[in-house]
Amino acid sequence: MPGLPGRRSVLGAITALPLTGALGACSGSEDDGGSRRSRAGTGGVTRITFWSALRGSQEVVDAFNRTHDRVQVDFQQIPSGNQGGYAKLSNAARAGNAPDIATLEYPQVPGFAIDGVARDLTGLVDALDGGRLRGRLLPQALALTTFENRVFSIPLDIEPMVLHLRADLFEEYGLDVPRTWAAYEETARAVRRRAPDSRIAIFPTDGGTQFAAYAWQAGAQWFDTARGAWNVSLADAPTREVAAYWQRLADEDLVFMNPSEGRQHDAQIGQGQVLTRLSGAWDAGAQMNARPGQKGQWRIAPLPQWDEDASRPAVGTHGGSTFAVTKDSRHPEAAMEFIAWQVSHPDALRARLSSGTSSQFPVTAELVDVGSAAFDRSYYGGQDIYRLFAEEAEKVRDGWTWGPRMTATQKVMQDGFARASGGRGTILDAVRAAEDGTMPDLKALGLSTTRHST
């Protein structure tokens, strides 16, 4: 950002900072050793290593290796971040043997950049193919991985939050698809009247990123880096309005309030007790994989809007992944070649969708038709969900910034959500607690910070 103070204030001393805080605090195995690093093979072949938890990654790697001779990829499936994948990456980086490429969800990019794990890719991006890759990516997605005009990760997909709904139950109960959050609230009341054991949705007590998407849509700005500092305002006015909305639905027993992972959630969805699911585009594929018996019952619609006349529709995102080249990579140019192919080549998307369980929405516009053609629409009654996702992706509100320690921030918030579900505090209390818990983490990193919530 032109005119800002030195890079240290916003991103810290990137190359010198130790792996501290939430990302580096977990212990784990460091038995991968130097064998995980990229290496130059015989005959001029460069081998690079790639870690990811994403579905379909093995198929993508296989497709790349079949069609490329100069660069070959060794793939390792790792647990998702919540199950230890990020701790594994942090530990490998501390030992100096991180893979060439690692998959990072958007909220994790700032932290790994500050910790010096994610390499500054700006020069590589601008050099690759004359810089044309940058122009092919959805600007809102690239902005989420760019700080002070420096790119630290390359977006793969962007996941606008959408409304997944049980079309069969909406028809049975005589319900219209709500276009606004006010209408959604009235629909919630109608659901409880007509099916007392059912609810319109689950407010997930483990859903910090979902709550962030609601706030994002409403105009919140939890973090920004104006004036060379990390400015924090988790409990700003739009967020307070969102918290009050969901608190009202919870107080009136119009939604379930429990974790989105586990047997309780699975039973609620499986037994038809939940009529809508509010999540990213990716969740369409996850639903297909988890509940094949509900084929034909679900449809997807735009997320309800806060604005009654919807003159300025907006959404936030929920989910989405990026690719970082690590500081330990010995072949960053080869790593970028593979990344660019993954995010922009039709064969890469076809390979990922061939797994049958992915509905990833690409950040590269020309791949939308590829995804639409490759995705099995029968689960959603023939609906072209990729066309809907394309329309919703254009509504992603620009300007959102994730904070440097979102793992820790979300944990505090979600602990508060869990307490609120038992009547101990409120959703807003959880948000305020998350803000309180975030400030010491940022200061411990030596970052310049300000706080603006009231």
Side-chain angles (χ1 to χ4, degrees), residues 104-117:
L104 302 179
E105 294 164 290
Y106 286 100
Q108 308 303 326
V109 175
F112 277 107
I114 288 169
D115 284 341
V117 178

Side-chain angles (χ1 to χ4, degrees), residues 175-420:
L175 304 173
D176 294 325
V177 177
R179 303 300 181 187
T180 67
W181 286 111
Y184 188 85
E185 183 173 348
E186 290 308 309
T187 304
R189 293 191 173 92
V191 169
R192 187 154 183 253
R193 287 195 304 269
R194 297 171 194 179
D197 293 333
S198 297
R199 298 293 181 270
I200 195 169
I202 299 169
F203 181 91
T205 54
D206 55 356
T209 54
Q210 281 171 285
F211 186 81
Y214 301 141
W216 182 347
Q217 180 196 30
Q221 191 70 45
W222 285 3
F223 298 90
D224 71 65
T225 55
R227 298 175 299 282
W230 282 95
N231 308 300
V232 183
S233 54
L234 267 67
D236 61 9
T239 304
R240 295 196 299 272
E241 293 175 8
V242 171
Y245 177 88
W246 286 103
Q247 188 67 54
R248 184 167 62 251
L249 267 60
D251 289 345
E252 296 183 24
D253 195 20
L254 301 179
V255 293
F256 294 123
M257 199 171 181
N258 53 256
S260 64
E261 295 186 10
R263 293 182 178 178
Q264 182 180 14
H265 172 268
D266 289 343
Q268 290 165 333
I269 302 294
Q271 295 170 10
Q273 293 179 293
V274 177
L275 273 70
T276 70
R277 297 163 59 246
L278 300 155
S279 57
W282 63 271
D283 204 13
Q287 166 69 19
M288 292 169 60
N289 183 55
R291 301 171 191 89
Q294 293 183 349
K295 181 177 180 178
Q297 297 174 348
W298 289 89
R299 299 292 184 274
I300 300 178
L303 195 69
Q305 294 292 311
W306 294 105
D307 184 1
E308 289 288 343
D309 63 12
S311 59
R312 299 179 63 185
V315 298
T317 72
H318 174 239
S321 297
T322 74
F323 296 124
V325 179
T326 74
K327 66 179 180 64
D328 294 332
S329 176
R330 293 176 177 174
H331 299 287
E333 293 84 1
M336 272 300 300
E337 180 180 338
F338 175 54
I339 290 173
W341 186 86
Q342 277 213 77
V343 304
S344 66
H345 200 285
D347 288 346
L349 182 57
R350 291 189 189 102
R352 192 174 298 281
L353 295 181
S354 71
S355 68
T357 58
S358 176
S359 57
Q360 164 207 105
F361 184 74
V363 296
T364 308
E366 57 262 39
L367 294 189
V368 174
D369 286 342
V370 176
S372 180
F375 186 79
D376 179 4
R377 305 179 191 178
S378 61
Y379 190 92
Y380 293 93
Q383 182 183 7
D384 187 352
I385 64 174
Y386 268 75
R387 289 295 165 205
L388 173 65
F389 295 161
E391 294 170 1
E392 296 308 292
E394 292 296 330
K395 300 176 186 176
V396 172
R397 186 172 68 79
D398 201 4
W400 181 266
T401 300
W402 291 106
R405 281 293 182 259
M406 288 308 300
T407 297
T409 298
Q410 290 177 33
K411 183 180 186 308
V412 176
M413 185 178 295
Q414 291 170 176
D415 287 347
F417 289 163
R419 288 192 295 272

